[in-house]
Amino acid sequence: MKIGTQNQAFFPEDIKEKFRYLQEAGFDGFEIDGKLLVDHLDEVKEAMAETGVPVTTACGGYNGWIGDFIEERRENGLAEMRQILEALQQVGGKGIVVPAAWGMFTYRLPPMQSPRSQAGDRKAVTKSLLYLDKAAEETGTTIFLEPLNRYQDHMINTLADARSYIEENQLKNVKIIADFYHMNIEEDEISEALHENRDLIGHIHLADNHRYQPGSGSIDFKKHFDRLKQDGYEGFLTIECRVRGNDPEAEYKRALAFLKESLR
């Protein structure tokens, strides 16, 4: 297993300098914003060639969710996701991370009455995934379907929820991304859920129980990494977290060292 990262505020803004920074810091890959990749594709290619740091996946960079309440916005989002998949194909990226939605609605906070039925939710998400499954096949990429916690999304909250869409629709190019932070809220036990869905887990996001940097909270990363090893997971572990502390850059590098030690 290798460790990747999303962008952080203290990373250099210049793309080539950003990739040099990742190389020097010891990251194995970069999960890039999809719009940044599409808009600066040639520069990203040059940065990858110079540093050897690969673009592993894309996350974000599109406007519209696969389960969006607004049909026009859902369709626009899908078109942008396809563009991102085409750009990923050019740089050898694995695929794109997509939740059903983020921050659109939750049953856990007012008004607690969704503007669409659960059957309507499932119809919209299914329609989107069928489209993206085909787009991923055509570009040689993968859709990483991400369950979010109940306070951020109302449609797909557990790995089992994501699995049901894949199995019911016989999706060949859709896998599950397991996010430790969301799993800490939604799953009965992280290692058990990882094991039960080992055949469909294709990507992993890392943050501690409070969404801050790994090693600063209560999640037993070594235990879960050992489970992944036993189950033969060979994909990326990508840090997706906020950072707190007097020196965020130093704290982030400390988190990377903590994760590498936990992998031993």
Side-chain angles (χ1 to χ4, degrees), residues 44-109:
V44 170
K45 288 180 179 179
E46 292 172 3
M48 290 174 58
E50 178 185 318
T51 63
V53 176
V55 166
T56 57
T57 36
C59 186
Y62 46 83
N63 297 296
W65 306 110
I66 64 171
D68 214 299
F69 289 146
I70 300 173
E71 182 64 10
E72 182 180 3
R73 194 165 60 193
R74 184 187 70 84
E75 291 178 351
N76 288 342
L78 291 176
E80 291 173 344
M81 290 174 203
R82 185 180 181 89
Q83 286 184 314
I84 295 170
L85 291 176
E86 290 169 352
L88 284 167
Q89 181 183 32
Q90 292 195 48
V91 298
K94 292 172 58 181
I96 188 172
V97 175
V98 292
W102 179 86
M104 190 174 72
F105 175 77
T106 170
Y107 287 116
R108 302 299 174 175
L109 296 170

Side-chain angles (χ1 to χ4, degrees), residues 14 27 89 102 115-116 125 132 151 153 166 171 205 243 245 262:
D14 179 83
F27 287 101
Q89 181 183 32
W102 179 86
R116 185 173 65 197
V125 172
L132 290 175
Y151 305 104
D153 176 50
I166 296 171
L171 303 173
H205 275 172
V243 185
S262 298

Side-chain angles (χ1 to χ4, degrees), residues 81-222:
M81 290 174 203
R82 185 180 181 89
Q83 286 184 314
I84 295 170
L85 291 176
E86 290 169 352
L88 284 167
Q89 181 183 32
Q90 292 195 48
V91 298
K94 292 172 58 181
I96 188 172
V97 175
V98 292
W102 179 86
M104 190 174 72
F105 175 77
T106 170
Y107 287 116
R108 302 299 174 175
L109 296 170
M112 297 182 181
Q113 182 64 46
S114 175
R116 185 173 65 197
S117 69
Q118 292 183 354
D121 287 340
R122 198 158 192 93
K123 180 178 179 181
V125 172
T126 295
K127 187 175 181 180
S128 294
L129 288 174
L130 288 169
Y131 170 87
L132 290 175
D133 187 57
K134 183 178 180 182
E137 180 181 14
E138 292 171 353
T139 54
T141 57
T142 301
I143 306 302
F144 296 112
L145 184 59
E146 181 173 27
L148 303 184
N149 72 74
R150 70 195 75 174
Y151 305 104
Q152 296 181 4
D153 176 50
H154 68 293
M155 290 176 275
I156 301 177
N157 302 130
T158 65
L159 302 193
D161 291 340
R163 184 183 194 94
S164 69
Y165 278 94
I166 296 171
E167 291 183 337
E168 288 175 14
N169 296 288
Q170 299 181 354
L171 303 173
K172 304 300 183 183
N173 304 286
V174 179
K175 298 293 184 182
I176 299 171
I177 169 172
D179 184 305
F180 280 22
Y181 165 69
H182 297 301
M183 294 179 72
N184 181 68
I185 297 172
E186 295 296 338
E187 304 291 352
D188 292 338
E189 208 284 319
I190 292 176
S191 282
E192 181 179 342
L194 292 171
H195 180 64
E196 289 176 349
N197 295 281
R198 60 194 179 279
D199 58 323
L200 288 179
I201 292 174
H203 193 50
I204 289 176
H205 275 172
L206 301 178
D208 224 310
N209 64 290
H210 41 32
R211 187 46 117 185
Y212 290 103
Q213 67 269 23
S216 64
S218 61
I219 290 181
D220 189 343
F221 285 88
K222 181 169 179 52

Side-chain angles (χ1 to χ4, degrees), residues 230-264:
Q230 293 166 16
D231 287 337
Y233 179 76
E234 297 180 346
F236 265 83
L237 307 167
T238 297
I239 307 175
E240 182 194 41
C241 71
R242 300 187 180 98
V243 185
R244 65 179 174 189
N246 294 329
D247 187 343
E249 183 175 13
E251 292 294 341
Y252 204 64
K253 290 181 178 179
R254 188 174 294 115
L256 174 59
F258 165 79
L259 292 172
K260 288 185 175 182
E261 180 63 28
S262 298
L263 277 171
R264 293 181 180 177

Side-chain angles (χ1 to χ4, degrees), residues 7-18:
N7 196 48
Q8 288 289 342
F10 48 82
F11 289 0
E13 283 297 317
D14 179 83
I15 292 175
K16 290 185 179 179
E17 290 182 7
K18 191 188 300 290

